[in-house]
Amino acid sequence: MNGKKYSVVIAGGGSTFTPGFVLDLIKSQDKFPMRQLKFYDNDAERQKKIGEAVKIIMKERAPQIKFSYTTDPKEAFTDVDFVMGSIRVGKYHMRSLDEKIPLKYGVNGQETTGPGGMAYGLRSIPAIIQIIDWMQEYSPNAWMINYSNTIAIVAEACRRLRPNAKIINICDMPIDDMDRMAAICGLDSWHDIDFNYYGLNHFGWWKEVRNKKTGEDLMPKLKEYVKDHGYWVGGDYDKDTEPSWEATFKKVADDYKMDPETLPNNYMQYYYFPQYEVANADPKHTRTDEIREHRQKIVFGECERIVKAGTAKNNIWDISGLHSEYIVDIIHAIAYNTHEKFLANCPNNGAISNMDPDSIVEVPALFGADGIQPMATGKAGRFQRGLMMEQQTCEKLVVDAYVEHSYQKMLQAFALNKTVPDASVAKKILDDMIPVNAPYWPELK
Ligand code: NAD
Ligand code: G6P
Ligand code: MN
């Protein structure tokens, strides 16, 4: 501890993850003491619903922390130490279209993978660049921890357009997978696991998984389990897991068989088995609909209830957890210069020895006051390298499309992607996406 009390702003104050993150921040006051918490969003109405409930929670549980919410960038980004990036440009309305338009043409429809993921990435670039610029103007010493997707594309845009920005792009998916590995091995949590992992965001493999305390190699035990059950734990562990996530974690059993030497990130299913994904999707009811019926309903319903009751004493929220705990761990590591190991999305610069230095990769890194120090992970297998080269080229082409306002580059990105079978299909999807993305994308010529 250094005696300092921190000021944090959450960009995307209206995010469904915000209340959970607030609860975990409150819980962590001995570990990460704060003097101020602010929300920033460009949708005043959505943010107000969460902001008013959080005002009550803060008054009851952490009155020493000054709390406010605003849509004014200067107010939001002045006098802060950390900016948390949790925005969804175009909100669930656009996510729904990212999922449903490709499905119309028999292509995988998913938030961060395939054409939907690339469409989302292109929407996020200008908004994240703008937030970086405000942060640099109003709080130049602040760090931004960004988890606004599509992370791989956002990170590539940062590398090219704001190479010196104090932003770290992170993802919680490997943490979720590792927590499952811990449960499978009878350990308490992902904190008990040491690992070597490499790949791109939502596109990676574990080379090593060990018991952090004893050093025991857990790979043999895990492989034996994963080949039949994937990362599905079941029982109490999975009592709140929604059906689409259940299918995802179970499908890892098949993903694993594509390379029995490593353990896959659960997102590999979208690249290995796109036809299976499409066959099992309902084009009229995608993940967005499930969220509207579940997470969004719970979060906003509970906020409304708290505001009406004027108290959060009987709060039934159960939405803090891995995602927000992980973010608290990360800001703690930066604030106190602990050099703990987490995963980051950053320029390769040799971390994967047979990938280009300017590839954006997801690799272990030490987190401290100066940001991250990526670690060497060794060589990617031939199969993995081939897959990564294709996928990262798509991600780079999306950023080219943004910079050059190029229809051609976006079309190439879609056509090259492993989830798209044919360039004519790529064109149909892109042509449907352009009008609906007009408020967010540059005009592609
Ligand atoms: P959400 O739609 O509930 O919330 C996003 C909020 O961002 C909304 O309130 C919206 O008004 C706001 N917003 C949109 N554009 C903005 C802009 N330009 N400036 C300020 N605010 C803006 O979304 P959610 O499901 O809670 O997810 C939030 C983000 O976190 C998404 O990008 C999601 O993909 C990401 N996420 C990432 C990880 C990860 O592993 N990297 C994990 C979970 C969620
Ligand atoms: C994981 C991924 C995130 C992604 C999220 C989607 O946490 O790491 O990048 O945004 O899943 O979850 P959802 O519940 O919104 O479908
Ligand atoms: Mn992620």
Side-chain angles (χ1 to χ4, degrees):
M1 303 292 270
N2 54 18
K4 187 171 168 176
K5 292 198 166 158
Y6 291 90
S7 171
V8 173
V9 61
I10 303 176
S15 157
T16 53
F17 292 102
T18 296
F21 182 49
V22 170
L23 293 185
D24 274 318
L25 281 173
I26 294 175
K27 250 192 348 215
S28 312
Q29 281 311 291
D30 50 340
K31 184 172 162 189
F32 179 74
M34 291 169 62
R35 61 183 166 84
Q36 176 162 247
L37 175 65
K38 298 192 257 188
F39 293 173
Y40 166 74
D41 204 292
N42 64 359
D43 180 338
E45 212 182 306
R46 186 177 172 93
Q47 174 168 256
K48 184 169 187 244
K49 291 179 188 153
I50 294 185
E52 284 301 305
V54 167
K55 207 187 260 178
I56 293 169
I57 294 175
M58 296 298 285
K59 205 169 93 197
E60 289 180 349
R61 302 187 194 177
Q64 76 283 10
I65 303 173
K66 189 176 161 204
F67 172 71
S68 60
Y69 61 91
T70 179
T71 53
D72 175 40
K74 185 170 181 194
E75 205 180 310
F77 296 102
T78 299
D79 182 31
V80 292
D81 303 300
F82 288 98
V83 176
M84 313 314 302
S86 187
I87 66 169
R88 182 184 292 288
V89 176
K91 294 178 278 192
Y92 286 124
H93 173 66
M94 289 309 298
R95 174 172 177 175
S96 180
L97 293 170
D98 290 343
E99 292 164 350
K100 291 181 174 85
I101 292 173
L103 281 172
K104 233 170 90 182
Y105 300 101
V107 170
N108 166 46
Q110 209 275 327
E111 181 200 20
T112 62
T113 64
M118 291 185 270
Y120 183 17
L122 186 57
R123 289 199 300 278
S124 297
I125 297 171
I128 297 293
I129 296 290
Q130 175 66 80
I131 290 175
I132 290 174
D133 290 350
W134 282 327
M135 178 177 93
Q136 285 183 339
E137 182 177 356
Y138 300 123
S139 287
N141 294 321
W143 277 101
M144 178 169 181
I145 310 302
N146 181 53
Y147 37 98
S148 317
N149 276 310
T150 302
I151 282 292
I153 293 167
V154 168
E156 170 65 9
C158 292
R159 184 189 71 80
R160 273 201 241 174
L161 305 173
R162 296 292 183 276
N164 300 318
K166 295 177 77 173
I167 180 170
I168 305 175
N169 291 296
I170 60 157
C171 171
D172 63 5
M173 197 73 256
I175 299 305
D176 197 333
D177 287 346
M178 279 197 280
D179 203 63
R180 290 171 176 277
M181 292 177 196
I184 291 164
C185 295
L187 300 171
D188 282 347
S189 82
W190 66 276
H191 288 105
D192 301 320
I193 278 185
D194 196 6
F195 62 94
N196 190 4
Y197 176 97
Y198 74 93
L200 315 175
N201 181 238
H202 294 178
F203 202 104
W205 301 267
W206 279 267
K207 278 177 137 171
E208 270 182 79
V209 180
R210 290 184 182 276
N211 179 321
K212 208 184 222 172
K213 269 197 211 104
T214 64
E216 180 196 348
D217 179 4
L218 299 174
M219 286 296 255
K221 202 183 273 178
L222 286 169
K223 287 176 178 179
E224 196 46 41
Y225 183 92
V226 171
K227 75 176 174 37
D228 298 321
H229 311 287
Y231 297 145
W232 180 251
V233 178
D236 244 21
Y237 187 95
D238 272 315
K239 68 180 183 332
D240 297 325
T241 305
E242 292 163 275
S244 59
W245 279 107
E246 175 174 349
T248 293
F249 292 123
K250 287 184 171 167
K251 189 69 183 161
V252 172
D254 292 332
D255 303 338
Y256 164 66
K257 291 176 188 108
M258 293 310 300
D259 178 33
E261 295 301 304
T262 56
L263 288 170
N265 185 303
N266 61 267
Y267 272 88
M268 291 317 297
Q269 64 173 332
Y270 300 108
Y271 303 95
Y272 293 163
F273 305 109
Q275 293 190 348
Y276 169 92
E277 294 306 321
V278 174
N280 285 282
D282 175 354
K284 294 205 179 71
H285 192 271
T286 56
R287 175 65 189 149
T288 299
D289 302 290
E290 203 179 30
I291 293 169
R292 283 177 171 144
E293 291 151 13
H294 189 69
R295 183 171 71 231
Q296 181 169 254
K297 208 164 161 191
I298 295 175
V299 169
F300 283 88
E302 186 61 3
C303 283
E304 206 182 312
R305 202 191 59 78
I306 290 172
V307 172
K308 261 201 203 120
T311 174
K313 288 224 167 81
N314 300 316
N315 172 26
I316 52 136
W317 251 322
D318 188 21
I319 45 154
S320 71
L322 277 188
H323 174 72
S324 44
E325 276 169 30
Y326 181 50
I327 299 165
V328 174
D329 281 350
I330 283 181
I331 48 183
H332 174 266
I334 296 170
Y336 299 102
N337 198 26
T338 65
H339 292 114
E340 277 161 280
K341 182 167 106 178
F342 303 108
L343 286 159
N345 292 271
C346 55
N348 182 40
N349 289 327
I352 305 173
S353 62
N354 52 348
M355 291 290 283
D356 292 340
D358 69 356
S359 306
I360 292 292
V361 294
E362 187 166 83
V363 289
L366 304 179
F367 282 57
D370 289 336
I372 55 164
Q373 297 169 29
M375 299 166 77
T377 65
K379 202 172 165 183
R382 192 189 300 283
F383 175 61
Q384 282 86 353
R385 183 170 180 274
L387 288 162
M388 285 194 287
M389 292 297 285
E390 180 181 80
Q391 177 61 21
Q392 66 140 355
T393 306
C394 297
E395 289 155 2
K396 286 188 184 297
L397 282 165
V398 173
V399 180
D400 289 345
Y402 174 75
V403 172
E404 300 165 23
H405 294 200
S406 167
Y407 177 91
Q408 193 71 46
K409 294 288 167 68
M410 202 63 183
L411 178 61
Q412 289 175 350
F414 280 24
L416 179 64
N417 201 260
K418 192 153 181 352
T419 63
V420 180
D422 184 308
S424 66
V425 173
K427 185 170 188 321
K428 283 182 192 150
I429 297 172
L430 179 57
D431 288 348
D432 272 15
M433 282 181 162
I434 286 176
V436 293
N437 277 286
Y440 313 101
W441 283 4
E443 194 187 340
L444 300 179
K445 293 182 207 107

